[in-house]
Amino acid sequence: MELLVRYLDRSNSVSSATSHEAIKEEKLRDDLRYYFMSPCEKYRTRRHIPWKMGVQILKIIMITTQLVLFGLNNQLVVSYKEENTMALKNLFLKGYSGTDVDDYSMAVFTQRDVYDSLFYALDQYSQLGQLSVGPISYAEDEEGNLLPLIICKQYYKRGSLEPSDETFDIDAQLETGGNTFFYFYFFYCLYPKNSLVAFFRLVDIQLSFQLKGINLQTVRTRELPDCYSFFVTIAFDNQCHSGMVKIFLDIEAQSSACRDWKISGTAQKNTHYLLVFDAFVILVCLTSAVLCTRSIILAVRLLQRFSRFFLENYNRKVCEDDQNEFLNGWYVLVIVSDLLAIVGSVLKMEIQAKSLTTYDICSIFLGTSTLMVWVGVIRYLGYFQKYNVLILTMKAAFPKVLRFCCCAGMIYLGYTFCGWIVLGPYHEKFEGLSRVAECLFSLLNGDDMFTTFAQLKDKNTLVWLFSRAYLYSFISLFIYMVLSLFIALITDAYETIKSYQKNGFPLTDLQQFVREQKDFPVFEENCRTDVQLRHSVICCRQR
């Protein structure tokens, strides 16, 4: 009798343990199924409101609106700088045509023209207040004194030259001489024309000065204007000693908050509204980052549970692609975009408050965050079968395309270096490595082919023949072979995905485990579970 009682107790304990394990397994299966559901499925199953999706939609609207507002303001800044550059070139360069020649503004060819251009710039600078129609003036130091105009020239230390006798004697060491002028009417007596060295010794002359300006056009958009410092350099370049002196006018514009200002109207009030809007954008991005971080943490815990269960019951580890299903890259993308948007919004608020003027840095942060936000929309489109084909195709083809591009890139670099060293002296599109790469990329896409062939200078027959072989071989190799193979890789991935969607996807260990339960819920076709759609074809084919 005692033995019978012990047997029954042991049977009850074994049955209880078995039931507990079965409940634990079913709970894990339900959690896995729920994790891979789409937002609409989660709402239908547990009436769980998709807060994360709602926050993402709100964030897209707000960040895009913020970017548009900042972009319109940034356009005013860019146009102000460009128009000031054009105005200063017309003011200080004698005979400026309004269009730069290559990378320099203009060129002169006689000694008289060099002197005239130099003195013309100085004369215009001395009359700036009576000439310029814009709000621009001379720069002053903190004590209210005018900052000087500096003239600096570089020349060979010593030299003699007789081209007729084909003789020269040059000391290649460069010397620098300069003058600083606070009062312009002293210039002609302190710096006569004959003080310049002989032109065969002259390397360059530089005029440097600083101007101040205010961008008043932002008042029309009800924003506070910025104050600008223009660091102007006019260079007379004679390094080639070819008989042509190139003249460059470079301007470095730096914006800053004005020291003292007073403005009536609604500009300041409008700035406050924008600051409140930017603060709300930061709050939404923080909420989005917290929700996505929470989802990643829950996914890692769920992966640990599934891995432990799989190891205890099947005595093997979960395959790498099944593990990657838990590590959702979309969440990482959203978090990175949120961080960039927060930093960009903070910079934008500082710019609106006139504490900073880093427009370019702010543009990079806001532009990159907006790009990532809109790319993240693809995740929600992936819940629909027709759109999901494109996403799965890109996912399947990306590794092969990346390896293919690495191999093709080696050939591309070879053609780039070869074209630069051989055709650079004879063709303007091959003068620099970056220009060669851009020209070849245009040819690869079928752009500007005839012009590239026709512009080559045929002074050297050997180089002309080489250029034909070079261009024909590159176009034939990359358009007819490399580009065709590139398209074939993507087409093959697309056909594979279409075949799997028609005949069924191979199931991974994770999907088989989730589908073991007989009462697996069925949803509408346009709202299919992510387990059926998000899979790894490569892993299954290898297994």
Side-chain angles (χ1 to χ4, degrees):
M1 189 68 176
E2 184 178 355
L3 293 175
L4 180 60
V5 172
R6 290 181 179 178
Y7 175 76
L8 292 175
D9 291 341
R10 183 179 301 174
S11 299
N12 291 334
S13 62
V14 171
S15 176
S16 177
T18 304
S19 300
H20 182 269
E21 290 296 328
I23 294 174
K24 183 179 179 181
E25 179 180 346
E26 287 302 320
K27 188 176 185 307
L28 175 60
R29 184 177 288 110
D30 290 340
D31 291 341
L32 288 173
R33 186 182 302 114
Y34 183 78
Y35 174 77
F36 289 109
M37 285 181 181
S38 65
C40 62
E41 292 172 349
K42 291 180 179 180
Y43 179 76
R44 293 180 180 181
T45 304
R46 300 183 183 179
R47 295 300 174 181
H48 183 272
I49 300 176
W51 297 106
K52 192 157 60 265
M53 184 178 67
V55 170
Q56 297 304 316
I57 295 175
L58 177 63
K59 188 179 69 174
I60 290 173
I61 298 174
M62 297 191 65
I63 287 183
T64 305
T65 304
Q66 182 190 47
L67 182 74
V68 171
L69 293 176
F70 181 78
L72 294 175
N73 185 34
N74 197 24
Q75 285 181 358
L76 298 178
V77 175
V78 173
S79 64
Y80 176 75
K81 293 180 180 179
E82 291 179 349
E83 292 178 9
N84 266 279
T85 300
M86 181 60 64
L88 293 179
K89 286 182 178 180
N90 281 276
L91 277 175
F92 295 108
L93 300 182
K94 183 179 181 180
Y96 181 64
S97 63
T99 305
D100 289 352
V101 181
D102 292 335
D103 58 340
Y104 55 93
S105 301
M106 58 180 296
V108 292
F109 303 92
T110 65
Q111 297 183 17
R112 181 179 180 85
D113 289 340
V114 173
Y115 288 121
D116 289 344
S117 299
L118 177 62
F119 287 104
Y120 179 82
L122 294 167
D123 186 59
Q124 294 290 98
Y125 180 73
S126 65
Q127 305 178 59
L128 182 63
Q130 291 77 32
L131 295 176
S132 177
V133 297
I136 194 169
S137 62
Y138 306 112
E140 299 178 352
D141 57 17
E142 296 180 355
E143 298 179 357
N145 300 320
L146 292 179
L147 294 178
L149 179 145
I150 299 174
I151 299 179
C152 180
K153 61 179 182 292
Q154 278 190 326
Y155 50 90
Y156 295 122
K157 183 176 182 180
R158 179 184 53 81
S160 61
L161 186 69
E162 283 295 337
S164 59
D165 296 336
E166 298 182 352
T167 60
F168 66 90
D169 181 12
I170 292 290
D171 185 348
Q173 182 179 356
L174 292 178
E175 287 190 348
T176 302
N179 298 83
T180 301
F181 299 97
F182 292 90
Y183 302 99
F184 314 120
Y185 57 83
F186 286 158
F187 178 78
Y188 292 99
C189 61
L190 294 177
Y191 201 84
K193 294 182 179 181
N194 56 12
S195 67
L196 285 178
V197 298
F199 275 90
F200 72 88
R201 290 175 55 198
L202 180 66
V203 177
D204 63 44
I205 306 172
Q206 289 189 355
L207 278 71
S208 302
F209 52 90
Q210 186 177 346
L211 301 174
K212 292 284 188 176
I214 300 177
N215 184 10
L216 291 178
Q217 64 175 334
T218 56
V219 175
R220 298 198 311 273
T221 59
R222 303 186 183 278
E223 294 186 12
L224 299 179
D226 290 325
C227 291
Y228 284 83
S229 297
F230 297 100
F231 299 89
V232 185
T233 302
I234 303 176
F236 295 78
D237 186 3
N238 192 38
Q239 295 184 25
C240 289
H241 292 89
S242 59
M244 181 176 72
V245 177
K246 300 177 183 178
I247 303 178
F248 300 83
L249 192 147
D250 295 323
I251 298 176
E252 180 182 353
Q254 294 182 358
S255 58
S256 59
C258 297
R259 297 180 182 177
D260 187 17
W261 55 268
K262 182 178 180 181
I263 184 172
S264 59
T266 59
Q268 190 172 2
K269 187 176 180 180
N270 186 66
T271 302
H272 292 163
Y273 289 149
L274 292 175
L275 292 176
V276 172
F277 178 76
D278 293 333
F280 192 56
V281 171
I282 294 176
L283 180 62
V284 172
C285 291
L286 282 174
T287 304
S288 173
V290 170
L291 291 176
C292 291
T293 304
R294 174 180 172 271
S295 298
I296 291 177
I297 295 175
L298 294 177
V300 172
R301 292 177 179 176
L302 189 60
L303 173 60
Q304 292 174 349
R305 287 175 55 193
F306 179 69
S307 300
R308 187 165 52 251
F309 172 84
F310 215 71
L311 186 62
E312 292 175 355
N313 291 270
Y314 300 98
N315 198 25
R316 59 191 178 93
K317 296 182 178 180
V318 179
C319 75
E320 184 177 352
D321 288 296
D322 276 345
Q323 295 180 15
N324 293 335
E325 292 295 326
F326 291 88
L327 305 178
N328 197 325
W330 295 112
Y331 291 149
V332 178
L333 180 69
V334 171
I335 292 174
V336 173
S337 68
D338 289 335
L339 295 177
L340 293 175
I342 291 172
V343 176
S345 298
V346 171
L347 292 176
K348 183 176 180 293
M349 294 175 69
E350 294 291 334
I351 292 174
Q352 293 289 344
K354 302 307 175 184
S355 299
L356 292 176
T357 55
T358 53
Y359 284 92
D360 294 336
I361 299 177
C362 183
S363 299
I364 293 174
F365 279 102
L366 291 181
T368 307
S369 65
T370 307
L371 170 64
M372 291 184 175
V373 166
W374 280 99
V375 171
V377 177
I378 299 178
R379 174 174 179 262
Y380 297 102
L381 294 178
Y383 293 128
F384 303 95
Q385 184 176 1
K386 294 182 179 180
Y387 297 101
N388 199 54
V389 175
L390 302 178
I391 301 173
L392 294 178
T393 300
M394 290 188 293
K395 182 179 178 181
F398 182 74
K400 296 180 181 180
V401 169
L402 188 62
R403 290 191 293 268
F404 179 79
C405 289
C406 290
C407 297
M410 300 299 104
I411 306 175
Y412 190 85
L413 285 176
Y415 270 92
T416 300
F417 286 110
C418 179
W420 172 60
I421 195 65
V422 178
L423 303 181
Y426 301 93
H427 202 299
E428 62 178 6
K429 292 185 179 181
F430 292 83
E431 292 178 352
L433 284 175
S434 61
R435 299 189 69 176
V436 177
E438 294 164 2
C439 176
L440 294 181
F441 190 78
S442 299
L443 292 176
L444 189 152
N445 291 277
D447 298 334
D448 217 15
M449 283 194 179
F450 178 76
T451 306
T452 304
F453 278 93
Q455 286 182 351
L456 184 71
K457 302 173 184 177
D458 54 355
K459 295 181 179 179
N460 190 316
T461 305
L462 181 62
V463 174
W464 185 87
L465 293 174
F466 177 85
S467 68
R468 266 44 192 173
Y470 172 85
L471 293 174
Y472 279 121
S473 63
F474 175 82
I475 293 172
S476 301
L477 176 64
F478 274 83
I479 291 183
Y480 303 135
M481 184 180 294
V482 174
L483 194 59
S484 299
L485 290 175
F486 183 85
I487 297 174
L489 290 175
I490 301 177
T491 304
D492 179 67
Y494 177 77
E495 294 297 333
T496 303
I497 297 300
K498 290 287 290 184
S499 175
Y500 279 136
Q501 283 202 330
K502 182 179 181 180
N503 302 321
F505 292 105
L507 297 179
T508 64
D509 295 332
L510 173 63
Q511 295 162 354
Q512 290 176 357
F513 175 76
V514 172
R515 296 187 62 179
E516 281 180 4
Q517 190 176 13
K518 294 182 179 180
D519 56 346
F520 183 75
V522 180
F523 302 94
E524 295 182 3
E525 181 181 2
N526 287 341
C527 207
R528 299 173 62 188
T529 60
D530 212 18
V531 177
Q532 294 174 318
L533 297 179
R534 295 175 56 228
H535 67 283
S536 177
V537 177
I538 300 176
C539 175
C540 297
R541 294 176 70 178
Q542 289 178 349
R543 295 180 58 242

